[in-house]
């Protein structure tokens, strides 16, 4: 299994509070991704990173920000959480960003916003 | 609207039956990947198809990439309870560098 750790694994919080999810990898892969998974939508890309301090938006980036200060860590922040951001969040890594490259996923963070 | 639509969304079959899952798009993809996801875990890559018309086999699973590279299918022969899970197709369309996942097919194989 790829060395990917997501924390926390579960979180319940209230609307309007800030939330930060952490993804830690031990593979030294260049690319890291944050997805959210909702019923009927599969996984949707929020943000991704192609190196330290290099990030870009995905399909559903509104309301989310990311930071990558070290190769091994990719943080996802909800500045002011809303109920629509209740979801399961997955981090993934890949060696390169090529279309044929496999992505290796963490086990997810279940986030509930009340 | 999802860029990659999968059908069916849910599938419940008896052990030993055959099934096909479809992944369709109006966009052309340079390649498509198939993942399987089990409850409480992240998706795991099964295969990548690259060439239009390509067929790849992984034991009882057969993956096909459409000639026009807009669609793909996954066929499972003699399904087993261990095949139960969520199957996802994924890829990047030729028109951009975004990576998209399909809507998913939840398969249950009943012993």
């Amino acid at each position: 299994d790829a060395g990917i750790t997501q924390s926390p694994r579960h979180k319940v919080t209230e609307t309007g509070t800030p939330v930060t999810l952490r993804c830690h990898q031990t593979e030294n892969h260049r690319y890291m991704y944050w997805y959210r998974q909702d019923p009927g939508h599969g996984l949707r890309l929020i943000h991704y990173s192609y190196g330290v301090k290099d990030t870009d938006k995905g399909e559903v980036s509104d309301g989310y920000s990311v930071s990558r200060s070290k190769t091994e860590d990719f943080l996802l922040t909800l500045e002011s959480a809303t109920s629509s951001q209740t979801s399961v969040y997955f981090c993934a890594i890949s060696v390169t960003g090529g279309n044929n490259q496999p992505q290796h996923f963490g086990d997810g963070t279940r986030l509930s916003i009340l | 609207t999802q860029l990659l639509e999968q059908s069916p969304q849910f599938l419940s079959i008896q052990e030993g039956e055959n099934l096909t899952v479809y992944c369709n798009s109006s966009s052309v993809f340079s390649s498509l990947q198939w993942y399987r996801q089990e409850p409480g875990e992240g998706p795991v890559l099964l295969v990548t198809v690259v060439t239009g018309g390509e067929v790849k086999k992984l034991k009882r699973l057969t993956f096909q990439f459409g000639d026009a590279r807009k669609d793909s299918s996954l066929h499972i022969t003699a399904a087993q309870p261990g095949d139960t899970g969520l199957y996802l197709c994924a890829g990047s369309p030729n028109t951009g560098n975004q990576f998209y996942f399909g809507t998913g097919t939840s398969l249950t194989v009943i012993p």
Side-chain angles (χ1 to χ4, degrees), chain A residues 9 33 35 37-45 48 56-59 90 97-108 110, chain B residues 1-2 9 30-31 33 35 37 40-45 48-50 86 88 92-94 96-104:
Chain A
R9 291 295 314 279
Y33 310 81
Y35 292 89
Q37 185 171 34
D38 305 289
H41 290 278
L43 284 90
R44 291 179 292 174
L45 182 64
Y48 67 98
D56 206 351
K57 296 179 179 180
E59 182 186 2
F90 285 96
N99 295 343
N100 296 346
Q101 291 299 312
Q103 295 188 21
H104 304 282
F105 286 81
D107 287 335
R110 185 172 294 275
Chain B
T1 303
Q2 297 279 139
Q9 186 176 357
S30 59
S31 65
Q33 299 175 345
Y35 290 79
Q37 182 180 18
E41 300 180 5
V44 175
L45 181 69
T48 301
V49 286
V50 179
L86 179 68
L88 296 156
S92 291
N94 283 355
N97 60 2
Q98 291 280 338
F99 196 78
Y100 294 92
F101 275 81
T103 48

Side-chain angles (χ1 to χ4, degrees), chain A residues 3-114:
Chain A
I4 307 167
T5 304
Q6 291 187 231
S7 59
R9 291 295 314 279
H10 303 271
K11 187 173 182 65
V12 180
T13 190
E14 295 184 347
T15 299
T17 59
V19 177
T20 295
L21 308 182
R22 180 181 183 237
C23 178
H24 179 78
Q25 61 146 329
T26 59
E27 307 297 318
N28 201 35
H29 284 2
R30 180 182 173 192
Y31 280 73
M32 299 185 74
Y33 310 81
W34 275 109
Y35 292 89
R36 61 177 290 173
Q37 185 171 34
D38 305 289
H41 290 278
L43 284 90
R44 291 179 292 174
L45 182 64
I46 304 171
H47 282 280
Y48 67 98
S49 170
Y50 47 96
V52 174
K53 297 186 180 180
D54 292 324
T55 64
D56 206 351
K57 296 179 179 180
E59 182 186 2
V60 290
S61 60
D62 287 349
Y64 302 94
S65 62
V66 290
S67 66
R68 192 168 178 198
S69 59
K70 298 184 291 185
T71 298
E72 58 265 36
D73 289 326
F74 193 32
L75 303 180
L76 176 70
T77 298
L78 291 66
E79 299 290 349
S80 178
T82 67
S83 58
S84 65
Q85 293 175 310
T86 292
S87 187
V88 181
Y89 291 84
F90 285 96
C91 173
I93 64 175
S94 66
V95 176
T96 73
N99 295 343
N100 296 346
Q101 291 299 312
Q103 295 188 21
H104 304 282
F105 286 81
D107 287 335
T109 294
R110 185 172 294 275
L111 177 62
S112 297
I113 301 166
L114 308 177

Side-chain angles (χ1 to χ4, degrees), chain B residues 2-7 21-27 29 32 34 70-73 89 102:
Chain B
Q2 297 279 139
L3 194 66
L4 286 167
E5 294 284 348
Q6 289 185 237
S7 60
V21 175
Y22 300 94
C23 173
N24 295 293
S25 179
S26 58
S27 298
F29 286 76
L32 278 178
W34 283 92
K70 292 183 177 182
D71 55 86
S72 181
S73 64
C89 62

